Amino acid sequence: SFRIGVLISGSGSNLQALIDGVKSGFIPAEIALVISNKADAYGLTRAREAGIETRVVDHKTFEGRSPFEHELIRALDDAGVELVCLAGFMRVLTPLFVRHYLGRLINIHPSLLPAFAGLHVQQRAIDAGVRFSGCTVHFVEEEVDAGPIIAQAVVPVLPSDRAEDLAKRILTQEHRLYPWAVKLFVEGRTQVKERVVHIQPAQWGAEQAL
Ligand code: GAR
């Protein structure tokens, strides 16, 4: 079946959403490998509990980004991965990695891109006074947090929000959005033309409730 690799650095709640999506049959694929650059990432426990192969590839044990990324590539290719999902993976990837997986590398980001690329995006959204924020699933290109957008979800920013309140509200939407975007890719329904993603409709009668 279609094989997915997931890269994480932390809690792995998005990974969990993908695990659940695979388990329920919503995503017609299997997660072949989960890699974390941090040995203590809770997402590794989630993966092990789901019986998924895990690897720790700690960037600190490599001399520079390129040997680190070569090791990631080796592990993912050995696992026969056809799609790489970044799910709270907190290392910037260089063109070496991005080019290797171009068109089969996707990321979820907790803002409505192109607004608020980078880090601390919830606090920056609050500070900017925007009334809505959300999350974005996009193809990864060489520029950070850019690349053709597959799907977005919107949440309100409330006057009383602290960054963590907004982060939590966005995360709830991430857990709906990411499995759906991955499903679209796995089903071959995402087509990129002139840097815009076109979504083909599901076969008649095959659409499932989100
Ligand atoms: C998520 O909000 C994800 O969008 C964000 O980190 C969190 C990971 O949570 N990713 C980035 O900021 C990428 N630069 P999780 O580990 O529970 O999925």
Side-chain angles (χ1 to χ4, degrees):
S1 69
F2 190 103
R3 295 167 75 78
I4 298 171
V6 184
L7 267 50
I8 62 167
S9 299
S11 142
S13 69
N14 277 294
L15 166 66
Q16 188 67 56
L18 297 179
I19 290 171
D20 295 345
V22 163
K23 219 172 236 171
S24 72
F26 181 68
I27 302 170
E30 66 181 289
I31 301 175
L33 179 62
V34 170
I35 303 179
S36 174
N37 66 311
K38 302 217 164 177
D40 62 354
Y42 181 63
L44 287 170
T45 303
R46 299 181 190 270
R48 288 183 196 117
E49 276 172 5
I52 298 166
E53 189 190 327
T54 62
R55 287 263 330 254
V56 174
V57 181
D58 182 349
H59 58 279
K60 287 191 233 100
T61 66
F62 294 85
E63 301 211 353
R65 290 187 189 264
S66 127
F68 168 62
E69 292 183 1
H70 273 298
E71 188 56 30
L72 293 178
I73 290 169
R74 191 212 316 263
L76 291 163
D77 284 356
D78 282 355
V81 157
E82 295 158 82
L83 169 68
V84 177
C85 297
L86 307 180
F89 184 69
M90 301 309 280
R91 300 296 300 170
V92 168
L93 293 162
T94 75
L96 168 78
F97 188 93
V98 173
R99 280 184 198 144
H100 188 87
Y101 292 109
L102 200 65
R104 48 198 185 108
L105 174 60
I106 66 180
N107 179 45
I108 188 156
H109 180 81
S111 77
L112 295 174
L113 292 172
F116 308 114
L119 295 176
H120 312 297
V121 296
Q122 296 89 355
Q123 189 60 53
R124 285 165 53 213
I126 289 169
D127 293 345
V130 296
R131 297 310 193 241
F132 294 92
S133 188
C135 49
T136 303
V137 178
H138 63 95
F139 284 105
V140 175
E141 293 195 339
E142 293 181 22
E143 193 188 336
V144 174
D145 295 330
I149 291 169
I150 301 169
Q152 292 184 306
V154 177
V155 307
V157 180
L158 303 181
S160 60
D161 273 351
R162 295 159 300 153
E164 65 206 87
D165 302 313
L166 179 57
K168 215 167 148 192
R169 194 175 305 119
I170 292 172
L171 208 48
T172 303
Q173 293 307 311
E174 292 185 43
H175 301 158
R176 293 159 44 85
L177 195 70
Y178 212 1
W180 185 66
V182 169
K183 173 190 176 71
L184 290 179
F185 183 91
V186 169
E187 292 179 349
R189 292 166 55 198
T190 58
Q191 200 182 51
V192 186
K193 246 190 266 163
E194 287 163 0
R195 306 199 69 246
V196 172
V197 180
H198 299 265
I199 308 289
Q200 278 141 259
Q203 290 296 87
W204 195 84
E207 188 73 279
Q208 285 169 268
L210 288 184

